[in-house]
Amino acid sequence: MNRPLRQDLSAAIPEGVAALLEKEIIFGELAPMARLTEEEVAARYGVSRSPVREALRLLERDGLVLRAARRGIWVAPLSLKDFDEIYTCRIELEGVAAEQAAMSSDTERKKQFAGLLEELRAAHARGDGREFFMVDVRGSALTYDLSDNRTLKRLLASLDKQALRYRFIGYTHNPEIVDITMTHTAAIYDAIVGGQAERAKELTEHIIHYIWQFMRGAIAENFGKE
Amino acid sequence: MNRPLRQDLSAAIPEGVAALLEKEIIFGELAPMARLTEEEVAARYGVSRSPVREALRLLERDGLVLRAARRGIWVAPLSLKDFDEIYTCRIELEGVAAEQAAMSSDTERKKQFAGLLEELRAAHARGDGREFFMVDVRGSALTYDLSDNRTLKRLLASLDKQALRYRFIGYTHNPEIVDITMTHTAAIYDAIVGGQAERAKELTEHIIHYIWQFMRGAIAENFGKE
DNA sequence: ATATTGTACGGTGTATACACCATACAGTTT
DNA sequence: AAACTGTATGGTGTATACACCGTACAATAT
């Protein structure tokens, strides 16, 4: 009963289950405050409760689920306050990451930005918002890698997962957010590849602040009260 | 065999075990790269492997231990690079936390800073570096609480645990670091309590940067090569 | 009718058994 | 002698059984 799924989960079952649940949460297939029971998740993926528990610990770390001792587990709710909290942190850390990435001399990996930009443009042209964000995340991951700071990378990877939930909702309600992101991302990639550290940092901070304020409207509409 | 320890662990065993291991790692009782086996830890605290596994996941999240699949678990090594990475992140996030804390109107909780300052002075006067840092951590925790940003709090709580290992080593080699921290901390508390947001942020960033550079010497001596 | 207590059940928390991988070492072969 | 293969062992990874808490609902008493 557990054999078939083991293949899909690429060796590490907890991380595999976490990745699958992550996607479901980020893209709204699992609604905010949806109840998760360990046994149900275990049955769904054909594994036992042990790795599921570890997967849920990972999701808790990234703020995607809430746990109450002996009460249960829920998909973390979304709120305007939470959104503001995340962006308050992101604006600082993404700025540093872009700055440090620009200072990297790893020209070989910097070339990957060109390919990513093409993928972004393709997804943008197709109007595929979901794919757009997935590629955008890979661009961020590349930036974090170039910054050569494992601690920063760890913090941002965690923040990004939360942020992506809001970004996807924002896109759903205001598709032009993809247009804005598209334009600005190109400028940032340029600065990073060109080694303009200060510019990369300022651009990143400015742009994140801009998108933050732009998205607040859509977010407030849905979660203003909470 | 497991009953007696349960009391010490205050209800949640994984968190309890994690807290105990944390202290041992932070204060050097468990040396960098020391091997940890789940069974040994479980036996030591009189619990089973299940909660120990979860405790080790928590420590991994905070960068205190490293895990290699099916290979083992080790206390995370210390290095100058890691130290720089942590402070690069801390300087940004602590600044924001101080700024936001100063903007808080929770005058009731702000009064706690006075008591903490007294405790700091007492520990400083006694030359009790370990106690000094423990109180300092509570001051940071209060600042994070006041910032009213759960995301920021989560990121900083994690960072602080790593940072404390280096801070304790720095103090061991350069006890005057406690003097410096003592003086500067008082100024920051003043700014936060007084509601001077911009000043609190600038002071914090400046001071963390100063201590960072000051400590680099002691850290480099021990871990320069790694 | 309301309040209180008993009870059943869903679900997490922990313990334990077993599977399986990684390493080291010994034995065999070339 | 060196390389390779087989095997034993230590330790993590997973499955499963059971303990225990929290909630809801029903029954009884006031």
Side-chain angles (χ1 to χ4, degrees), chain A:
Chain A
M1 187 223 224
N2 48 13
R3 291 294 155 194
L5 260 295
R6 285 223 184 165
Q7 317 300 342
D8 302 355
L9 302 173
S10 59
I13 296 183
E15 282 75 7
V17 169
L20 292 172
L21 285 172
E22 254 169 49
K23 274 188 194 163
E24 297 185 60
I25 293 172
I26 287 171
F27 295 113
E29 293 151 30
L30 281 169
M33 290 310 283
R35 181 77 187 275
L36 293 175
T37 71
E38 297 177 352
E39 195 137 14
E40 177 226 330
V41 174
R44 182 141 57 99
Y45 294 119
V47 297
S48 80
R49 274 181 57 209
S50 309
V52 169
R53 270 184 80 80
E54 303 200 25
L56 290 170
R57 282 259 183 213
L58 295 175
L59 295 188
E60 186 188 18
R61 169 183 80 183
D62 293 332
L64 296 182
V65 306
L66 299 178
R67 313 180 76 190
R70 293 189 186 276
R71 302 269 319 283
I73 303 147
W74 298 267
V75 175
L78 298 171
S79 73
L80 186 59
K81 181 169 189 320
D82 184 52
F83 175 71
D84 284 341
E85 286 183 6
I86 292 164
Y87 270 76
T88 298
C89 297
R90 244 167 74 86
I91 208 167
E92 301 289 329
L93 296 181
E94 292 274 2
V96 180
E99 179 187 31
Q100 307 268 325
M103 291 162 62
S104 165
S105 55
D106 188 340
T107 55
E108 205 52 43
R109 268 194 297 187
K110 281 189 178 180
K111 288 179 186 165
Q112 294 179 27
F113 278 118
L116 285 171
L117 204 56
E118 281 315 303
E119 288 191 61
L120 277 179
R121 290 210 169 100
H124 181 223
R126 286 200 312 276
D128 186 343
R130 178 164 168 159
E131 172 66 13
F132 181 88
F133 284 118
M134 296 300 275
V135 177
D136 192 46
V137 166
R138 283 163 52 207
S140 298
L142 180 56
T143 302
Y144 309 158
D145 277 341
L146 284 169
S147 76
D148 192 32
N149 182 326
R150 297 180 71 83
T151 304
L152 179 61
K153 185 178 171 180
R154 188 161 54 80
L155 296 178
L156 274 169
S158 172
L159 262 184
D160 273 1
K161 286 171 190 167
Q162 289 178 281
L164 210 55
R165 296 180 75 192
Y166 292 101
R167 292 174 67 194
F168 191 69
I169 286 179
Y171 153 75
T172 307
H173 290 73
N174 294 68
E176 66 262 41
I177 283 175
V178 175
D179 303 332
I180 299 170
T181 304
M182 181 74 249
T183 316
H184 290 168
T185 300
I188 293 175
Y189 285 2
D190 276 350
I192 292 177
V193 173
Q196 303 166 283
E198 190 58 32
R199 179 172 160 78
K201 178 174 188 175
E202 281 175 7
L203 269 179
T204 299
E205 288 178 355
H206 177 265
I207 287 160
I208 289 185
H209 182 78
Y210 179 80
I211 292 183
W212 176 9
Q213 296 307 318
F214 186 89
M215 281 179 60
R216 269 190 120 247
I219 304 298
E221 266 177 41
N222 293 281
F223 311 108
K225 56 277 177 190
E226 288 158 40

Side-chain angles (χ1 to χ4, degrees), chain B residues 21-41:
Chain B
L21 284 173
E22 252 169 51
K23 275 188 193 162
E24 296 184 61
I25 293 172
I26 288 172
F27 295 114
E29 294 152 29
L30 282 171
M33 290 311 282
R35 182 78 187 276
L36 292 175
T37 72
E38 297 177 352
E39 196 138 12
E40 176 226 332
V41 173

